[in-house]
Every structure is written in C-alpha cells, then in structure tokens.
Amino acid sequence: MYYDEKKTQAFKDIITCNPRIMSGTPVFKDTRVPIKNLIDYLEAGDSLEEFLEDFPSVSHKQAIQALELAKDILLTQAHAYSD
C-alpha cells in the first residue's frame, strides 16, 4: 500500500465527515465529537485525559491516532515546503 493510501485509510478509520452528522463537521468516527474539540482542549492547556473525561465517546486510541495523523501531515507538509 502506498503512503497516501495509508493516510487516506487512516483518515477513514479515525474521522467521519457526513452532512447528516454535525452538518458535515469532521468528527471522531462513530461519535458526534468534532476533531477540533481535541485541538481546542490542547491549545487551552487541558490534558488529553481531561478531553477524554469530557468526551467519553472518544476512546484514548482514537485521540492518539488523530494526534499522530495530525503530526504526520504537519511533518509531511513541512518537508514539502522546506527549501
């Protein structure tokens, strides 16, 4: 499987964007919790544990996978734009 195919599959395993769920807002798969909420918590200085306590429908594994995917995309883009 190619790298982009792996990334696409990772998105599908972690994130859902469906117009019938939260008007298409990207959410953690099988939940109604926007991915943005995790980022907002971390930006505010809250811990991952606090986020998970407030959103129990999101598993620890899902949150870590989302963060790993974000890291991977950021690093990939950094390499693409560095010169």
Side-chain angles (χ1 to χ4, degrees), residues 11-57:
F11 265 98
K12 290 179 180 180
D13 291 344
I14 300 166
I15 300 168
T16 299
C17 295
N18 183 324
R20 294 173 295 186
I21 302 171
M22 303 287 293
S23 300
T25 298
V27 297
F28 285 95
K29 188 174 181 178
D30 300 325
T31 77
R32 297 179 61 80
V33 179
I35 297 290
K36 184 180 182 308
N37 287 12
L38 173 58
I39 304 303
D40 289 345
Y41 264 63
L42 297 176
E43 283 180 337
D46 296 316
S47 69
L48 179 59
E49 288 73 26
E50 289 171 298
F51 170 80
L52 294 170
E53 285 176 20
D54 289 347
F55 298 97
S57 61

